[in-house]
Amino acid sequence: MRPENCATRNHIEVWHGRVLPSGPEQVGFGTVLLGSLLPILVWAGVACFVCFVYSPVVAMALGGLFVLSFVVGFGLRRRAGHSVRCSVHGALGGVLDKSMAGF
């Protein structure tokens, strides 16, 4: 994949489409996080709830699930020929987007 085509809106899905640029241009890490505020808050809220109600070990297992999903997404994007930057942004956006699919 050509570097100028990587890290565009076509490769990185974020939760809120309104934070994306109007055309196919590079999307920064801050934009990915801004577009993913709701999923980040839900993940953090569930982790805090689980930590206080059950135990910190269960919250660590939930964090491990998040990290495992991120690593798998990163690996799949790298195998598809994306750059490291695009893979990080896409994996984070993908995990946050797919985790909110039920809402």
Side-chain angles (χ1 to χ4, degrees):
M1 177 165 295
R2 295 188 344 228
E4 61 270 11
N5 292 334
C6 211
T8 63
R9 68 181 295 127
N10 300 328
H11 301 296
I12 299 173
E13 300 277 336
V14 292
W15 184 254
H16 297 292
R18 67 179 177 269
V19 300
L20 290 174
S22 60
E25 50 189 76
Q26 287 195 355
V27 177
F29 191 67
T31 304
V32 173
L33 291 179
L34 178 63
S36 302
L37 280 178
L38 178 62
I40 290 171
L41 291 175
V42 168
W43 270 92
V46 168
C48 288
F49 176 77
V50 167
C51 182
F52 288 122
V53 171
Y54 295 106
S55 72
V57 174
V58 178
M60 287 173 32
L62 182 66
L65 177 65
F66 181 86
V67 170
L68 177 67
S69 300
F70 175 82
V71 169
V72 168
F74 179 82
L76 290 173
R77 291 175 199 293
R78 285 297 291 158
R79 290 186 100 190
H82 293 272
S83 68
V84 173
R85 179 177 183 235
C86 181
S87 296
V88 169
H89 293 186
L92 179 63
V95 168
L96 294 172
D97 183 45
K98 300 303 184 239
S99 68
M100 297 301 292
F103 290 103

